[in-house]
Amino acid sequence: MEANRDAAFQEHEQQNTTQSNDAETEPLLSHQTSSLSRVPQRPSKQLTTRNAFAVLVSIQIGSGIFASPAQVDSNVPSPGAALFVWVLGGLLSWAGAASFAELGAALPLNGGMQEYLRHVYGDTMAFLMAWIYIMAVKPSSMAIQSIVIAESIGSVTSADPLAAWKLKAIAILAFVAMVLLNSINTKITIKLSESFTVVKIMTVVLIVIGGLIAVIAHLIDPNSSLSGSRDWFTKDWFASRPSVSEGRTVDWTSISEWERFGHYSAAIYAGLWAYDGWDNANVVASEIRDPGRSLPKAIEAAMVVVLSSYELVNLAYYILLPWDMMSSNDAVAVAAARSLFGRPAGIIITILVAISCAGSITSNVFAVGRLTVAASQRHYLPGFLSQRGLPKRSAKHLAASPDRSDPSSSNSTNSEENTTPNSKFDAPIYAHILALVITLVYILTGSFRALLTFVGMAEWVFYVATVVGLIILRRREPDLHRPYQPVLVLPITFVVVGTLVIIRSAMFAPVQSGVLVGLLVVGALVSKFRR
């Protein structure tokens, strides 16, 4: 089976090569014959369906479910509306995940979205995606996760909020530790990811059990101290009440429909960021055994688990916490546990939340490392960033090296140096160092909510562009082998809703949208001059 797929891919590559000679629009799978090109080497297929499932669940159930509820609640008029936003975000993410599963099964190449954009639109679009993700999206996401770890720890170690510099110091230490752990080899990273996934699911289950205990306690004794906040059985879940967003009170009875849509867009972005990560299995598609079957299976199973978990956890939050606390607390999981069972429970949940966020950092480091390697192999970044682990070099190897004056020999040597790892250390070390430096800058300079909005807009611009590319490919390449193909209504719905949210959110957050536009312009200029 695998031999037949490889043969089919080689035939498809040859056909695409004869169809286009333009470097700008050259299809992804075409052969690179230029002496300046480095053909990306396929890594070993060591990931199973279970591994891909663990990566997806680990990266999605992280800081988002423990911090984003505040951002969602502050931009909707009622708890019922907030729960609806979480369902909508989950279904929209599921539609995107199904679309990406089709692309990952048809084009199982490391780099994920970068490679799909290159195949459909050409080199510049792929470069822009790699540029934005490596320089902004992934580092910002990891900065947010590190900040949530720090805020969770600060919420139980001190009665008063910790000073900003202390929170940033904790966030930096947590992030540096996770990068070091993930810079050993792939097997250790996968084991960490699977272990963190167990902790994440256990944390979700404990929070849901806490909400269930409160409901049962209320049914037995309405005056029980274990019955939660009391708001959940004394107030209307769908009645509008003022909320606090970006430091100002929102009166939902007097604002315009346009302003209301803007707030809902911000809420959806927060929910979508919590679900974010459904595309990350595609980044390592070529390392998954039988991706045509395993990738869609892993994505569907992960989305069922994550969507169910998020809805149940948010329901538990509204049972355990006073509703006026939801919009002002970025460590909502810790506050919920502490309100019901006291400080010891808060400490336990803090530890579990920190571990869960560490798991998301692990999966993000894993994904951004592979994305950086793929970008480097496409010459979007310096070649040394594609090096995995410690290169095997010796005096004998140097003596036998080809003449570097020969371009083809030089290319071969560079490829070997950058892709031949020490067997014990196969992680992309230099890619991890780059991610470390950029993320530290975001931790030092950014805030949770500003980074959250920026990440949402940046990601969804390329998510929508990629799914539009899927629709284009169905028409342009109908004979492309697609082991998995969802109904067309899913990608179309994803594109329409995603576009509306992007447009309104960009108008609602002009500073973040301006930064994104600036990065895109700089990226386009860099792409032009690098050629």
Side-chain angles (χ1 to χ4, degrees):
M1 289 287 294
E2 191 164 321
N4 291 337
R5 281 195 303 276
D6 290 341
F9 265 99
Q10 290 174 5
E11 181 181 355
H12 182 62
E13 291 173 6
Q14 292 171 356
Q15 290 173 351
N16 280 339
T17 303
T18 60
Q19 290 172 356
S20 175
N21 294 319
D22 187 346
E24 175 63 21
T25 59
E26 185 178 2
L28 171 64
L29 301 176
S30 63
H31 288 298
Q32 304 291 325
T33 56
S34 168
S35 62
L36 295 177
S37 298
R38 181 187 301 115
V39 178
Q41 296 186 357
R42 291 185 181 180
S44 60
K45 292 182 177 292
Q46 53 184 318
L47 305 183
T48 63
T49 303
R50 187 187 69 183
N51 298 145
F53 170 82
V55 168
L56 287 169
V57 173
S58 180
I59 203 169
Q60 288 186 84
I61 302 180
S63 58
I65 188 57
F66 307 122
S68 289
Q71 181 78 346
V72 172
D73 183 79
S74 65
N75 283 287
V76 294
S78 67
L83 294 175
F84 172 75
V85 166
W86 283 104
V87 172
L88 179 61
L91 294 176
L92 189 59
S93 298
W94 199 329
S99 302
F100 271 60
E102 175 181 333
L103 290 167
L107 305 171
L109 299 164
N110 272 15
M113 187 161 38
Q114 169 191 296
E115 299 302 305
Y116 312 147
L117 291 170
R118 185 175 187 273
H119 186 76
V120 177
Y121 303 107
D123 195 61
T124 297
M125 190 67 168
F127 174 83
L128 286 176
M129 178 266 156
W131 169 267
I132 295 295
Y133 263 65
I134 294 169
M135 301 302 293
V137 170
K138 289 300 182 183
S140 294
S141 294
M142 293 185 288
I144 292 171
Q145 290 148 5
S146 302
I147 291 170
V148 172
I149 292 175
E151 290 183 345
S152 297
I153 293 173
S155 68
V156 296
T157 56
S158 175
D160 298 321
L162 290 180
W165 71 268
K166 290 183 179 179
L167 289 174
K168 290 185 182 295
I170 295 172
I172 288 171
L173 289 174
F175 180 67
V176 170
M178 294 313 303
V179 172
L180 291 176
L181 278 175
N182 284 278
S183 295
I184 302 173
N185 60 46
T186 300
K187 289 184 178 180
I188 289 179
T189 299
I190 291 299
K191 288 179 180 178
L192 282 172
S193 181
E194 291 180 345
S195 300
F196 285 137
T197 300
V198 173
V199 174
K200 288 167 184 285
I201 293 176
M202 183 172 66
T203 306
V204 166
V205 169
L206 287 176
I207 294 172
V208 172
I209 289 175
L212 186 60
I213 289 173
V215 172
I216 294 173
H218 172 72
L219 294 175
I220 296 173
D221 179 9
N223 297 317
S224 172
S225 61
L226 295 177
S227 60
S229 71
R230 306 183 68 82
D231 284 350
W232 66 274
F233 61 84
T234 61
K235 296 182 179 180
D236 185 348
W237 282 69
F238 292 93
S240 293
R241 85 285 194 243
S243 58
V244 179
S245 177
E246 301 295 333
R248 65 184 184 89
T249 300
V250 180
D251 184 357
W252 291 93
T253 60
S254 62
I255 64 173
S256 67
E257 291 300 319
W258 184 246
E259 288 180 295
R260 185 181 295 265
F261 180 54
H263 282 289
Y264 269 103
S265 296
I268 290 172
Y269 259 142
L272 292 174
W273 179 79
Y275 284 104
D276 183 51
W278 44 263
D279 65 305
N280 277 274
N282 294 63
V283 175
V284 291
S286 71
E287 297 181 47
I288 298 174
R289 300 169 193 165
D290 190 9
R293 181 184 64 86
S294 298
L295 189 57
K297 194 174 179 181
I299 288 175
E300 289 178 356
M303 291 310 300
V304 170
V305 170
V306 174
L307 177 55
S308 302
S309 298
Y310 280 16
E311 197 65 17
L312 290 173
V313 167
N314 278 280
L315 190 61
Y317 287 153
Y318 282 110
I319 292 172
L320 296 173
L321 281 176
W323 290 356
D324 59 1
M325 286 182 59
M326 282 290 293
S327 62
S328 60
N329 198 324
D330 288 336
V332 63
V334 177
R338 190 169 52 194
S339 69
L340 186 65
F341 299 113
R343 183 178 174 82
I347 293 174
I348 292 172
I349 292 296
T350 296
I351 295 171
L352 294 176
V353 168
I355 294 174
S356 296
C357 292
S360 291
I361 293 173
T362 290
S363 295
N364 268 309
V365 170
F366 181 77
V368 76
R370 272 63 186 179
L371 178 60
T372 304
V373 168
S376 175
Q377 290 174 333
R378 293 294 185 191
H379 299 287
Y380 300 160
L381 294 171
F384 71 88
L385 290 173
S386 66
Q387 178 175 302
R388 290 173 178 262
L390 304 175
K392 293 180 180 179
R393 300 194 68 185
S394 63
K396 181 179 179 181
H397 172 78
L398 290 173
S401 295
D403 182 3
R404 293 183 179 269
S405 63
D406 180 0
S408 61
S409 297
S410 176
N411 178 61
S412 175
T413 302
N414 289 339
S415 178
E416 181 180 359
E417 289 173 2
N418 288 329
T419 59
T420 304
N422 184 298
S423 59
K424 295 182 180 179
F425 304 97
D426 67 347
I429 299 296
Y430 293 111
H432 287 180
I433 293 173
L434 177 65
L436 173 66
V437 172
I438 299 173
T439 303
L440 291 181
V441 172
Y442 283 104
I443 292 174
L444 290 170
T445 60
S447 66
F448 175 88
R449 299 199 178 194
L451 289 172
L452 184 63
T453 304
F454 173 67
V455 169
M457 281 192 291
E459 286 179 324
W460 278 78
V461 166
F462 291 104
Y463 285 162
V464 169
T466 302
V467 178
V468 169
L470 177 149
I471 298 171
I472 292 172
L473 275 184
R474 284 197 183 184
R475 183 175 182 84
R476 192 177 80 187
E477 300 183 32
D479 296 330
L480 180 65
H481 179 56
R482 295 175 173 86
Y484 174 79
Q485 186 172 334
V487 293
L488 188 60
V489 68
L490 287 179
I492 290 177
T493 302
F494 182 88
V495 169
V496 172
V497 178
T499 301
L500 290 175
V501 172
I502 289 169
I503 292 172
R504 183 59 185 98
S505 295
M507 303 171 86
F508 196 65
V511 174
Q512 289 92 330
S513 60
V515 172
L516 177 59
V517 170
L519 281 172
L520 288 170
V521 170
V522 172
L525 293 174
V526 172
S527 177
K528 178 180 178 180
F529 285 110
R530 74 182 178 84
R531 278 197 289 267

